[in-house]
Amino acid sequence: MSYTIKDVAKKANVSIATVSRILNGQAGYSEKTKLKVLKVIEELGYSPNAVARGLINKRTHTIGVLFPKLSSSLVTDLLDGIEKAANENGSSVIVCHTESNGEKTMNYLQLLIEKRVDGIIFASEILKDEYYQYVMKSKMPIVLLSTESYAFPVPYVKVNDFHAAYAAAKYLIDKGHTDIGMISGNKEDIVAGKPRIDGFQKALADHGIACGERNIVNSKGFGFHDGLEGLRKMKEQFPEVTAIFAASDEIAIGVLSAAYQLGIKVPEELSVIGFDNLNLAEMTIPPLTTIGQPLVKMGEASAQMLFKILESGEIPESRIMPHKVVERLSVKERA
Amino acid sequence: MSYTIKDVAKKANVSIATVSRILNGQAGYSEKTKLKVLKVIEELGYSPNAVARGLINKRTHTIGVLFPKLSSSLVTDLLDGIEKAANENGSSVIVCHTESNGEKTMNYLQLLIEKRVDGIIFASEILKDEYYQYVMKSKMPIVLLSTESYAFPVPYVKVNDFHAAYAAAKYLIDKGHTDIGMISGNKEDIVAGKPRIDGFQKALADHGIACGERNIVNSKGFGFHDGLEGLRKMKEQFPEVTAIFAASDEIAIGVLSAAYQLGIKVPEELSVIGFDNLNLAEMTIPPLTTIGQPLVKMGEASAQMLFKILESGEIPESRIMPHKVVERLSVKERA
DNA sequence: CTGAAAGCGCTAACAT
DNA sequence: ATGTTAGCGCTTTCAG
């Protein structure tokens, strides 16, 4: 059992109130007693109990973050930003790994609410009705990160996926490509899947390029294997394709690997543009041209948004973060 | 302000003690009152306050994890395992990002101690004297993950880096290579750097292969860029090299990229073996042969170790986890 | 400038 | 089977 404020008070011959004041930098004590108390604290190695503080202040200086997946550098970068902003704000972050599982998610939500975290960041996943209702009932602040809700008024931080995908397709078009395919990720995914497909289609349409079934391969997810299989399907249904927009960097890397296996040279015979700008993107062969999301900044912004709610009590505006095309070597001007 | 146990008690016409007993599954109430109380809890949407519980039980069901870096898939996999084991144990995990900075680390340690987490996992970094003393003074349990301490009796979970590096070199030797180089990472790093170099050298020596200065390139860190530059240096100082052991997968990927730029074909002209078996390893061109560490399992083991200490009060044995060579396509039998 | 005392929400004796 | 009460370690009136 460690020392308490009482021990400090006794040893310094003052009341616990005085110790508390000194600890919290409030007024009401002489410089002399302050020094005396500080010395005792030092000697005892006293460490204030944040649990007791939390009970009375109704602030735990802890926030909770829900991720569908931990082992992806997308999530890691977001977490990096969140942790950074939280730390600058004197808060800690509890990470929860939902595996996109509804039951697990509800359990985590319950846990975080019981722990009385100051707020919740819900990342990279659809905010279900059930989740929203439960969190609302507890009155706990929540923000969305890299996702958004069409049904509920929850503030979010994210890029505009439609615009970003449009930019990717336009980049390919500007490089002279007209036979352009997309490996889309999950099109059922209303927040990251569908808008990217729509953006891609719109870009082709706006530039007078017909876009039919053969231009798009719908994969199940956004992973490496989806890209690996995706390119094979694409070459079957659209052999003339000269450029591909992958809905994620991991898909793009899968495309790169598949191209290598099939003996297709990137970028000479096939241009590839990704989406996300993960750390991986610069490590591929060739280095991947991609649509960059400011992931770390987005994480930071979401945490800051949460702290703003905590201060002001008001729900802030959502933030659309800027994307940009990061030019590397996987896209080539069409001959 | 949410409801308290008092509100529940009042509305159900029982004492708070009864509510508490029902909440904690203790004996001492009729089925009838239980149902009544449960109904009130449901109606109110009452959620027990874990902060208050923590204050009295001296258990927060939260553990803290310190990482030098967040955005690396090595760390992510470890975290994944930790989070999993913690969740199975009814605990949450707070992540801290130290950036290998002594001051930041001390601040985080202080924070975690004030928050009265149940224990600490210190990962992938040297446990400095200062850290150790501070944690000991608080009597908080601590375990080391993917690192170890020669100076202090702190239990750890890790692979045997010496043996693992030996295995990597031996694998290359068994494939007929004799002109073998190593890109070593930081040799000042006493726990991950040095032992891998030693293991490499021992393997060459045991097989009658001379190992001099030219066989090893000491890079600053374990990252992609270290590999990128590493291969160039290696080719300068040891042009005949036919196989390379990279002290990390990221270094290996850097080597792959550098080889590509230099027009050196992997594995035809140069074999490469990595270390870690990150998710990335299967995504490279060609897929990377590497020494696999069971990262997720290691994370789990470290958390379980912590919980064991919490239960038994005793310091458990450290665990050396098994490594294995994961054969993919970046190493070729020497012609 | 300093102290006494109430109470945050809960658990755990101790009564009844 | 159920209630009363004393804290857990701290902050914060309210007195002096």
Side-chain angles (χ1 to χ4, degrees):
Chain A
M1 215 56 49
S2 45
Y3 294 107
T4 73
I5 198 173
K6 243 177 169 169
D7 300 315
V8 175
K10 198 180 299 172
K11 187 153 184 215
N13 281 315
V14 296
S15 74
I16 60 170
T18 299
V19 178
S20 175
R21 286 188 192 105
I22 292 172
L23 246 24
N24 294 290
Q26 296 169 359
Y29 47 82
S30 66
E31 189 65 15
K32 210 178 99 193
T33 50
K34 177 178 171 186
L35 256 39
K36 185 171 57 180
V37 168
L38 254 25
K39 187 155 156 272
V40 171
I41 289 177
E42 175 65 30
E43 284 171 15
L44 254 32
Y46 165 75
S47 158
N49 185 327
V51 179
R53 281 179 163 172
L55 182 58
I56 185 162
N57 291 332
K58 273 117 182 55
R59 267 283 234 139
T60 52
H61 295 283
T62 305
I63 64 176
V65 188
L66 299 175
F67 287 117
K69 203 177 152 188
L70 279 183
S71 52
S72 118
S73 95
L74 199 154
V75 159
T76 311
D77 283 349
L78 293 174
L79 178 59
D80 199 351
I82 293 171
E83 204 280 339
K84 192 171 166 212
N87 188 240
E88 281 166 6
N89 206 278
S91 287
S92 317
V93 2
I94 288 181
V95 292
C96 305
H97 180 189
T98 66
E99 299 169 24
S100 301
N101 172 336
E103 200 180 335
K104 281 199 87 169
T105 304
M106 285 303 286
N107 283 336
Y108 274 119
L109 252 18
Q110 183 183 348
L111 196 78
L112 292 174
I113 290 171
E114 290 191 356
K115 287 216 160 118
R116 300 297 192 262
V117 296
D118 297 333
I120 290 176
I121 296 176
F122 187 88
S124 284
E125 205 171 354
I126 299 287
L127 183 71
K128 288 195 205 161
D129 196 337
E130 188 186 11
Y131 308 159
Y132 176 74
Q133 302 301 347
Y134 189 67
V135 173
M136 277 309 101
K137 203 157 63 183
S138 78
K139 287 167 192 130
M140 182 164 294
I142 178 169
V143 308
L144 267 25
L145 173 56
S146 197
T147 180
E148 70 182 295
S149 171
Y150 303 126
F152 312 111
V154 183
Y156 60 84
V157 175
K158 121 181 226 309
V159 298
N160 184 316
D161 287 272
F162 178 89
H163 288 166
Y166 189 102
K170 182 160 189 310
Y171 180 81
L172 263 14
I173 294 167
D174 288 347
K175 289 291 178 185
H177 293 277
T178 50
D179 295 312
I180 304 175
M182 172 174 186
I183 310 209
S184 80
N186 183 356
K187 72 172 170 182
E188 313 292 317
D189 180 338
I190 231 96
V191 43
K194 192 61 168 36
R196 293 183 196 172
I197 295 174
D198 292 344
F200 172 77
Q201 288 176 325
K202 184 72 159 51
L204 296 213
D206 284 359
H207 295 80
I209 300 174
C211 181
E213 289 231 335
R214 67 170 196 169
N215 292 271
I216 300 182
V217 168
N218 293 119
S219 50
K220 278 169 236 109
F222 292 88
F224 175 71
H225 292 281
D226 297 298
L228 216 50
E229 291 164 28
L231 180 62
R232 294 177 194 282
K233 276 191 213 146
M234 180 62 74
K235 287 299 279 188
E236 274 173 32
Q237 72 188 44
F238 189 11
E240 306 86 356
V241 64
T242 64
I244 285 186
F245 167 40
S248 79
D249 280 355
E250 288 202 21
I251 291 179
I253 294 173
V255 169
L256 257 29
S257 284
Y260 178 77
Q261 289 168 17
L262 297 171
I264 302 169
K265 287 206 166 53
V266 177
E268 291 76 6
E269 299 168 36
L270 182 71
S271 287
V272 179
I273 186 168
F275 196 108
D276 286 336
N277 194 28
L278 303 185
N279 301 323
L280 313 180
E282 67 160 340
M283 306 189 195
T284 56
I285 299 175
L288 188 68
T289 292
T290 189
I291 299 296
Q293 302 195 59
L295 296 168
V296 176
K297 282 231 169 63
M298 288 164 66
E300 283 184 55
S302 68
Q304 282 158 359
M305 191 175 269
L306 208 47
F307 295 126
K308 201 170 294 168
I309 299 178
L310 259 21
E311 278 169 29
S312 70
E314 286 168 19
I315 295 190
E317 280 178 32
S318 293
R319 293 186 58 183
I320 304 291
M321 306 294 279
H323 59 266
K324 65 163 186 264
V325 357
V326 179
E327 290 194 87
R328 280 192 277 250
L329 304 174
S330 63
V331 172
K332 205 187 155 191
E333 192 100 22
R334 189 176 195 179
Chain B
M1 212 59 47
S2 46
Y3 293 107
T4 72
I5 198 172
K6 241 175 169 172
D7 300 316
V8 175
K10 198 181 298 174
K11 188 155 185 213
N13 281 316
V14 295
S15 73
I16 60 170
T18 298
V19 178
S20 174
R21 284 192 272 259
I22 292 172
L23 246 24
N24 295 290
Q26 295 168 0
Y29 47 82
S30 67
E31 189 66 14
K32 210 177 102 194
T33 49
K34 176 179 171 182
L35 256 41
K36 185 173 57 180
V37 169
L38 254 26
K39 185 154 159 274
V40 171
I41 288 176
E42 174 67 31
E43 284 170 16
L44 255 32
Y46 164 75
S47 158
N49 185 327
V51 179
R53 281 179 164 172
L55 182 58
I56 186 162
N57 291 333
K58 273 117 184 53
R59 268 282 236 142
T60 52
H61 294 282
T62 305
I63 63 177
V65 188
L66 299 175
F67 286 117
K69 203 177 152 187
L70 279 183
S71 53
S72 119
S73 95
L74 198 153
V75 159
T76 312
D77 283 348
L78 294 175
L79 178 58
D80 199 351
I82 293 170
E83 204 280 339
K84 192 171 164 216
N87 188 241
E88 282 166 6
N89 205 279
S91 288
S92 318
V93 2
I94 289 182
V95 293
C96 306
H97 180 188
T98 66
E99 299 170 23
S100 302
N101 172 335
E103 200 179 337
K104 280 198 88 170
T105 303
M106 286 301 289
N107 283 337
Y108 274 119
L109 252 18
Q110 182 183 350
L111 196 80
L112 293 174
I113 290 172
E114 290 191 357
K115 287 214 161 124
R116 300 296 192 263
V117 297
D118 297 334
I120 291 176
I121 296 176
F122 188 88
S124 283
E125 206 172 352
I126 299 288
L127 183 71
K128 287 194 205 161
D129 197 337
E130 187 185 11
Y131 308 159
Y132 176 73
Q133 303 300 349
Y134 190 66
V135 173
M136 277 308 102
K137 203 156 65 182
S138 77
K139 286 166 192 134
M140 183 164 292
I142 178 169
V143 308
L144 268 24
L145 173 56
S146 198
T147 180
E148 71 182 294
S149 171
Y150 303 125
F152 312 111
V154 183
Y156 60 84
V157 175
K158 112 184 234 310
V159 299
N160 184 317
D161 287 271
F162 179 88
H163 288 167
Y166 189 104
K170 181 159 190 311
Y171 179 81
L172 262 16
I173 294 168
D174 288 347
K175 289 290 180 188
H177 292 277
T178 50
D179 295 312
I180 305 175
M182 172 175 185
I183 309 205
S184 79
N186 184 354
K187 71 171 169 179
E188 314 292 317
D189 180 338
I190 230 94
V191 41
K194 193 59 169 35
R196 292 182 197 172
I197 295 174
D198 293 344
F200 173 76
Q201 288 176 325
K202 184 72 160 55
L204 297 213
D206 284 0
H207 294 80
I209 300 173
C211 181
E213 289 232 335
R214 68 171 194 169
N215 293 271
I216 300 181
V217 168
N218 294 120
S219 50
K220 278 169 235 110
F222 292 87
F224 175 71
H225 292 281
D226 297 298
L228 216 50
E229 292 164 26
L231 180 63
R232 293 177 194 282
K233 277 192 213 148
M234 179 62 76
K235 286 300 278 187
E236 273 173 33
Q237 72 187 46
F238 188 10
E240 307 86 355
V241 66
T242 64
I244 285 187
F245 167 41
S248 80
D249 280 356
E250 288 203 22
I251 291 178
I253 294 174
V255 169
L256 257 29
S257 283
Y260 178 77
Q261 289 168 17
L262 298 170
I264 301 170
K265 286 206 167 55
V266 176
E268 291 77 6
E269 300 168 36
L270 182 71
S271 287
V272 179
I273 185 167
F275 195 108
D276 288 336
N277 194 28
L278 304 184
N279 301 323
L280 314 179
E282 68 160 340
M283 305 190 197
T284 57
I285 298 174
L288 188 68
T289 293
T290 189
I291 299 295
Q293 303 193 60
L295 296 168
V296 176
K297 284 231 168 62
M298 288 165 65
E300 283 184 55
S302 67
Q304 282 157 0
M305 192 175 270
L306 208 47
F307 295 126
K308 201 170 295 170
I309 299 178
L310 259 20
E311 279 169 27
S312 70
E314 286 167 20
I315 294 190
E317 281 178 32
S318 294
R319 292 187 57 182
I320 304 292
M321 306 293 279
H323 58 266
K324 64 163 187 263
V325 358
V326 179
E327 290 194 88
R328 282 192 276 250
L329 305 174
S330 62
V331 172
K332 203 187 157 192
E333 192 100 23
R334 189 178 194 180

